[in-house]
Amino acid sequence: MARIAVIGAGTGAMAAAARLAVAGEKVTVYERSASYGGSVGRHEHEGFVFDTGPGLLHLPAVQRDLFVKTGKESLQQCVTLTQVDPASRHLFADGTAVSLPNASRAGVSAALDGALGAGSGARWSDFMDRARDAWDRSRRPLLEEPLRTDHQVLGRDPYPAVRQRRLLRPARRAATVAEIGAWELADPRLAALLDGYALAHGLDPRTAPASAALLPYMEQTFGSWYVLGGMRELARAVYERCVARRVEFVFGAEVVRVVEKDGRAAGVELAGGEVAEADRVVLGVRPRPDLVPDRQVWGAGDVPVRAGAGAAGRFTVLLSLRGAREADAVHRTVVHSGDGAAEWEAVFAGRVAGHPTVTVLRPDDPATRPDAEHEAVTLTATVAPQGPVDWRDAEVRRRFADLLVERAGAAVPGLRERILHTEIRTPAETEAETGAEGGAVPPPALAGAGGAYLHPGNLTPLPGLYLAGGWAHPGGGLAHAGMSGTLVAGLVVEGDDFRGSR
């Protein structure tokens, strides 16, 4: 029985801990905060309950597999999963709107034709066919295998871009998300739809590789799911599964250094000076030089996170509303910016956007409100991180929150007049609670761009040290972080020759 020290109690780190415990290892999780879940948090106020992290679950198969492999009770026995249908409603700058059904390619095509005009559905469907090809080409090395030493194979973009013929000029192919929208989708509203997926993951559509087409493909193929009681309930279920497998948790325990002895990881040093010895260490937080020297972090192929990757943060407004949620309200509405290029320029240049894309979440869940005559609504926008913008400045916070409320009024009738209480959360709060520099949120790993959008490998050059969670391969998001936990457990149990989940 090996002693495993896990740093951080995020969902990816806990997924690794549960799997390692089932394999017979003695696992202790050290968490700097007072609770588990990492970015999957919760805020409560006078009977209103809000998610402060992810609001929906995609690729639920990752979580289902975790529960199958770590106990008798299935995921569905531990939480109540419901499909969100329609998956999303989109409001465009020209006033048009479309509601997209959940996990129905034919339904999405028909909805786009009806809202945006004949031919719109076919163009989107053709794009999704190409996205499926990209998925088939890259799924295993990108998501289901540890980052290989010949990671350059992921430097090539798997998206089969359409060859665009041009009179008297060389043909061209889309290499970025923005180019797909302009050259292949050929409708500013379809382009905004695609751009929104990239932006929601903290990616700049102007530079994100075409392989980001995987993001809408995964959502529209495998569906959007909500956990009754809020997504925090999923984190609770994972935590309880860890406890049931005899994983020990030490909260309020900040790890300041990974201890190295005889050329391998040998434990962790806590803020108070105490050293907890271990045979192996799993780093479930963002690597930083004071915690682990740079030379020991990057892992297979010395692949660093691209400069600026994941630099975007999240600005969230939690609204307690009087008045019942109308019967035909949609769980998720995206109010698209009228000037996407200006928004991207502001966010990724470290400024406050003047016309942000706003995601409005309105779960039909009695557990989120005091009674049927009230409603809990969450507004979210992708923003520059803390640092370039001072999100601690009360006036900056107030003005931007007011802007989000104004734009969200298109999705929630009478929104401003219904507000009872407002809670604002910015990258400054994210930084304070998770320790992530600038409150940055890790994006998912992407193939292409010469490997610039890959994350550090789970296996590091320091023997006995492994990386899990959103800042490690295969990147951020509940599903991706869960996959990282699977990969780390496989590497620890089966050794460096582990070739991925089956």
Side-chain angles (χ1 to χ4, degrees):
M1 176 186 292
R3 297 167 301 173
I4 311 290
V6 178
I7 304 173
T11 55
M14 289 196 296
R19 290 177 182 273
L20 288 168
V22 167
E25 314 292 12
K26 179 176 175 55
V27 184
T28 303
V29 177
Y30 298 91
E31 167 57 45
R32 67 191 290 269
S33 72
S35 187
Y36 55 83
S39 63
V40 187
R42 168 179 287 169
H43 176 77
E44 300 183 26
H45 176 77
E46 296 183 351
F48 293 91
V49 177
F50 305 87
D51 286 318
T52 58
L56 291 171
L57 176 65
H58 303 110
L59 279 178
V62 174
Q63 306 299 332
R64 291 192 181 109
D65 182 71
L66 171 64
F67 280 77
V68 166
K69 300 293 176 56
T70 60
K72 295 181 180 179
E73 300 85 4
S74 67
L75 175 64
Q76 289 85 343
Q77 290 175 295
C78 298
V79 298
T80 301
L81 279 177
T82 61
Q83 278 195 303
V84 176
D85 203 5
S88 57
R89 183 170 181 249
H90 296 265
L91 304 180
F92 299 104
D94 68 352
T96 57
V98 61
S99 292
L100 303 181
N102 198 352
S104 171
R105 285 280 301 277
V108 168
S109 180
L112 291 172
D113 274 342
L116 308 186
S120 300
R123 286 196 298 277
W124 184 263
S125 185
D126 289 344
F127 158 67
M128 291 295 283
D129 285 340
R130 295 189 290 275
R132 180 190 60 205
D133 288 346
W135 168 263
D136 291 340
R137 294 175 182 180
S138 63
R139 173 181 58 86
R140 186 149 186 80
L142 184 66
L143 301 177
E144 298 176 356
E145 297 177 349
L147 194 62
R148 292 158 43 177
T149 53
D150 62 338
H151 61 271
Q152 291 81 2
V153 68
L154 289 172
R156 297 188 293 272
D157 199 315
Y159 178 78
V162 177
R163 188 169 181 264
Q164 306 285 327
R165 299 180 183 275
R166 299 188 294 172
L167 185 64
L168 302 179
R169 288 187 290 175
R172 64 187 180 187
R173 296 178 189 270
T176 67
V177 168
E179 289 174 350
I180 291 175
W183 302 348
E184 296 182 5
L185 297 178
D187 183 314
R189 296 163 298 185
L190 292 179
L193 178 61
L194 174 59
D195 294 339
Y197 282 98
L199 188 64
H201 288 83
L203 298 165
D204 185 343
R206 299 169 301 179
T207 56
S211 64
L214 294 180
L215 302 176
Y217 174 79
M218 287 189 288
E219 179 177 314
Q220 293 189 12
T221 301
F222 304 110
S224 297
W225 301 77
Y226 174 70
V227 179
L228 285 180
M231 297 303 296
R232 175 71 176 178
E233 287 298 292
L234 177 61
R236 175 197 56 77
V238 177
Y239 167 73
E240 291 181 353
R241 177 54 53 90
C242 285
V243 172
R245 301 284 78 81
R246 299 185 179 179
V247 173
E248 181 182 355
F249 284 81
V250 183
F251 294 108
E254 181 177 5
V255 174
V256 297
R257 183 172 66 91
V258 173
V259 176
E260 179 182 350
K261 183 179 180 180
D262 298 329
R264 63 176 295 112
V268 297
E269 180 182 342
L270 304 180
E274 176 188 355
V275 173
E277 295 182 351
D279 301 298
R280 295 179 178 85
V281 176
V282 176
L283 183 63
V285 299
R286 188 175 190 176
R288 62 180 192 271
D290 61 325
L291 188 60
V292 183
D294 284 342
R295 65 179 178 82
Q296 297 174 357
V297 168
W298 301 127
D302 291 338
V303 180
V305 177
R306 174 181 69 90
R314 300 286 184 270
F315 190 103
T316 304
V317 182
L318 312 176
L319 298 175
S320 303
L321 304 183
R322 64 170 63 87
R325 180 184 188 272
E326 57 269 25
D328 60 350
V330 174
H331 187 115
R332 176 177 53 167
T333 300
V334 181
V335 183
H336 292 273
S337 172
D339 190 346
E343 178 183 16
W344 312 332
E345 176 62 31
V347 170
F348 297 100
R351 302 194 304 272
V352 178
H355 202 255
T357 297
V358 181
T359 298
V360 182
L361 296 180
R362 306 179 66 188
D364 186 11
D365 183 355
T368 65
R369 56 192 184 236
D371 54 52
E373 297 306 313
H374 294 84
E375 182 182 7
V377 171
T378 302
L379 315 180
T380 304
T382 297
V383 296
Q386 166 68 19
V389 176
D390 184 4
W391 291 115
R392 296 187 177 94
D393 186 300
E395 184 60 19
V396 173
R397 295 162 65 97
R398 185 197 64 77
R399 285 201 308 266
F400 197 69
D402 192 64
L403 178 58
L404 263 60
V405 170
E406 177 185 346
R407 292 186 48 70
V412 185
L415 175 60
R416 194 176 293 278
E417 293 73 25
R418 295 175 58 194
I419 296 175
L420 293 171
H421 180 78
T422 301
E423 186 75 22
I424 299 172
R425 296 179 57 84
T426 76
E429 281 74 35
T430 303
E431 181 178 51
E433 293 174 6
T434 69
E437 183 180 355
V441 178
L446 296 174
Y453 286 77
L454 299 177
H455 289 255
N458 312 103
L459 184 65
T460 77
L462 180 64
L465 176 65
Y466 305 84
L467 304 184
W471 293 107
H473 177 75
L478 283 171
H480 290 70
M483 292 176 197
S484 79
T486 302
L487 295 176
V488 165
L491 287 166
V492 172
V493 174
E494 298 186 27
D496 296 357
D497 293 333
F498 175 64
R499 289 293 176 263
S501 56
R502 298 292 177 184

